[in-house]
Structure formats: structure tokens, C-alpha cells
Amino acid sequence: MQVPAQFQYEKATSVDEALRLLAQYGPESRILAGGHSLIPMMKLRLAQPQALIDINEIGELARISVEEHTLCIGSMVRHAELLASAVVGEHFPIFHDAERVIADPVVRNRGTVGGSLCQADPSEDLSAAFAAVRGEAVIQGIYGQRTVPVREFFRGPYETVVGDGELLVGLRVPIRSSASAYRKVERRAGDWAVAAAGAELRLEGETVAEAGIGLTALGARSFCAPEAEEFLTGGPATQARFEQAGAIAAEHCAPVADQRGPVDYKRHLAATLTARALRAALHRWRGGHPAAGEARETEA
Ligand SMILES: Cc1cc2nc3c(=O)[nH]c(=O)nc-3n(C[C@H](O)[C@H](O)[C@H](O)COP(=O)(O)OP(=O)(O)OC[C@H]3O[C@@H](n4cnc5c(N)ncnc54)[C@H](O)[C@@H]3O)c2cc1C
């Protein structure tokens, strides 16, 4: 039986209390959100924090709201709550697409938005979705709050800019006129991505005024594809251009071979899924609503 090493358990009921506990226990303490990544790592002794600071009872971190034309998502919002939120689906359907294909209901009922981003797993779906829509992370320390673009949030695999004594309190996405979508290939329903791509488009007439592309499980720096975004911007929104953008995204990412597939297969998926996510976003921009099931493509 796998059991974690001994640790101190503390429950915070406010952000201030969580910050005080982080300061008290120092760098060997860890925040406990949904626990779906941290607890398995502790059982395997890949993580051995001296103290766990449970933030599950901090109600202010579990809210979704719209403030001054900005969608605000608390770090303790569960995957299932993001999926159920009408305001999220209305402005950024990319999050609903992504949430429908993250794990299973058990994980989605407990796992959190903040935990997903802070875990910084290279295969995390929400990291790519937030990168595509150019979200911002709100980080709090005893000094106050700072805001970091999600594209600058990740230092590398399993590493973020959240420092010792800091807490990710939420994510913010400015609301604008745009359309977005997410497409993922997995070996079987509920599995981590073999590869996935998200896209956001804003058009002026038939011209792409702004494009955002997020990639996951593809070794893309900061989960995004800036070369493909640059290629699309200012050009016509056509299928041929989307396929070219996909080819550019595939050329610039850096997938690794693993049990989910070889490099050339993953590059093929990078190209195909980028083009499909762009096409789905364009369809939504024109008033269409692709069926929910279309976000998932299983191999089996
Ligand atoms: C079987 C299974 C399948 C899964 N499949 C997928 C999938 O297909 N796609 C996908 O994207 N994810 C998947 N996940 C991961 C899931 O999304 C987890 O919920 C997520 O990785 C971690 O969220 P959590 O709330 O459980 O965080 P925790 O495990 O509690 O924490 C993770 C890390 O983040 C830190 N942390 C958490 N919150 C904060 C905060 N507010 N501020 C600072 N640090 C913080 C913790 O200290 C810890 O280091 C899967 C997980 C499981 C168990």
C-alpha cells in the first residue's frame, strides 16, 4: 500500500489565513486544492511536503463572475462548475469544450482550475485553453496581488511563476467579441491528451483580426503557437489558411515520443487539431454551435 510521508495538515478559511500559514511553514509547505494531482504524488513520495494547507473552505476563491467586462474565475472553481457555468459557455465556449474531455466526472467534481494550472503538467487541457484566449493569472502574496499573463505563467513542466508564500487566487479573461473552440485526441474517453489544440478567432469582415492558438501535450512553449497566430492575423479566414496555420504550429512545437505515440504522429495531430479548432471557432463566429461531442476524438 502506498502511503504519504508524515505531514502537518492545516485548514485555511480565508486567503489571509492561507498566506499566514504559507509564511509560517515556509517553502516546504504546499497548497491542497482538489488533491487529484498532489495526493497521488505524495503517495508515490514524489512530493513530500512538511505541511499541507487546505484551501477548500475559502468560499471567495470558488466564484465565477463578470466584473468590468472581464470573466473572473476563482482558483477553487471545480472543473464541473466551469463546465456548468452558462456565462463561461456564452463568452468562451473553449472552456466547455475542454472541460467535457477532461478526465471523468469523479475528477471533474473535485479537481480545480487553479490546481490544474499550478500543477503545470505539459498535458493539462486548461493551460492550453487559457493560453489560447490570453487569460491572466492573479497571484496573491502578503505584499498584495500581481497579475501575470497565462502565457508567462509557466516556467516549464511542473513549474510556474507562483513563488513560495504566494497563492494563485484566480484567472481573468477580458470579454470581447470572439469565438473559440477546443479539440482533443485521446486514446480512450477520459484519458489525458495524445494531443489537443484550442483556438480563438476575432474577425473583421472576412479577415482575421486576432487569433489565439493553444496546444497541449505537444511541447509547445507556454502552451501556445505564436508563429501560427502571426501567420493568420490580417489574412482571410479560409480552410486553406487554417491548414497552413496548423502546419506552422506542428513545425514549431516539440512533442516527445511516449506511450501515447511517436513524434511524427503527434505533429500530424498538432496540424490537424489546430485546423479543426480554428474551423470550429469560425463556425461559431458565424453563428453555428458545433455539437458538444465533437470536442472529443478517441483512437479506439
Ligand atoms: C485520473 C485522472 C485523470 C485526469 N485527466 C486529466 C485530463 O484529461 N486533462 C487534464 O487537464 N487534467 C486531467 N487530470 C488532472 C486534473 O485536472 C486535476 O484536477 C489537476 O491536475 C489538479 O487539480 P487539483 O485541484 O486536484 O490540484 P491539487 O492536486 O490539489 O494541486 C496540484 C498542485 O497545485 C498546487 N496548487 C493547487 N492550487 C493552488 C493555488 N490556488 N495556488 C498555488 N498552488 C496551488 C498544489 O500545491 C499542487 O502542487 C486528471 C487527473 C486524474 C486523477
Side-chain angles (χ1 to χ4, degrees):
M1 192 171 66
Q2 294 163 335
V3 287
Q6 235 186 0
F7 60 90
Q8 189 72 24
Y9 173 82
E10 298 276 4
K11 191 181 276 187
T13 53
S14 69
V15 169
D16 283 348
E17 192 183 7
L19 293 175
R20 186 183 57 71
L21 288 165
L22 280 172
Q24 180 184 327
Y25 286 101
E28 298 308 318
S29 59
R30 294 284 274 274
I31 293 292
L32 176 67
H36 269 304
S37 294
L38 183 55
I39 301 295
M41 283 171 61
M42 288 173 64
K43 283 182 167 178
L44 293 169
R45 310 257 171 144
L46 294 172
Q48 297 195 30
Q50 285 173 11
L52 278 193
I53 298 160
D54 185 341
I55 58 170
N56 280 273
E57 289 191 4
I58 308 182
E60 67 185 277
L61 297 182
R63 290 190 200 120
I64 298 173
S65 61
V66 174
E67 291 164 26
E68 296 172 356
H69 302 292
T70 299
L71 177 66
C72 305
I73 301 167
S75 61
M76 283 304 292
V77 167
R78 314 275 171 190
H79 292 298
E81 292 165 341
L82 196 67
L83 179 55
S85 165
V87 73
V88 169
E90 179 192 345
H91 297 293
F92 297 103
I94 186 172
F95 292 123
H96 279 191
D97 288 350
E99 286 294 1
R100 281 189 194 100
V101 291
I102 289 177
D104 51 40
V106 175
V107 173
R108 292 202 293 265
N109 281 337
R110 192 75 194 159
T112 65
V113 172
S116 290
L117 267 83
C118 288
Q119 182 65 16
D121 187 304
S123 301
E124 210 82 48
D125 292 292
L126 287 185
S127 303
F130 277 103
V133 299
R134 295 181 170 82
E136 295 173 337
V138 184
I139 298 166
Q140 191 160 334
I142 43 171
Y143 54 82
Q145 284 189 354
R146 64 189 177 108
T147 302
V148 178
V150 166
R151 291 178 175 214
E152 295 168 22
F153 182 77
F154 304 101
R155 284 221 163 102
Y158 307 101
E159 212 185 331
T160 73
V161 298
V162 180
D164 294 337
E166 288 187 322
L167 189 67
L168 175 68
V169 289
L171 282 306
R172 296 164 57 88
V173 193
I175 293 172
R176 61 265 178 177
S177 180
S178 72
S180 56
Y182 192 78
R183 293 293 179 265
K184 170 174 174 176
V185 164
E186 50 197 3
R187 292 177 302 180
R188 56 187 173 274
D191 196 9
W192 292 85
V194 177
E200 186 191 27
L201 280 178
R202 185 171 67 78
L203 268 62
E204 282 169 8
E206 288 303 303
T207 301
V208 175
E210 212 177 319
I213 296 172
L215 300 176
T216 205
L218 287 164
R221 196 158 34 85
S222 300
F223 291 91
C224 53
E227 298 83 2
E229 293 166 348
E230 201 179 318
F231 166 79
L232 285 169
T233 308
T238 60
Q239 177 62 22
R241 298 267 303 172
F242 291 169
E243 278 170 17
Q244 278 175 277
I248 293 169
E251 184 189 335
H252 288 275
C253 66
V256 290
D258 59 16
Q259 77 276 20
R260 289 189 171 81
V263 168
D264 55 352
Y265 174 50
K266 292 186 179 185
R267 276 197 205 282
H268 164 76
L269 290 180
T272 305
L273 293 175
T274 298
R276 284 186 193 169
L278 285 163
R279 199 168 58 217
L282 179 66
H283 186 63
R284 282 182 173 148
W285 176 266
R286 292 182 172 152
H289 298 280
E294 288 180 15
R296 166 174 282 139
E297 301 184 25
T298 44
E299 290 182 336

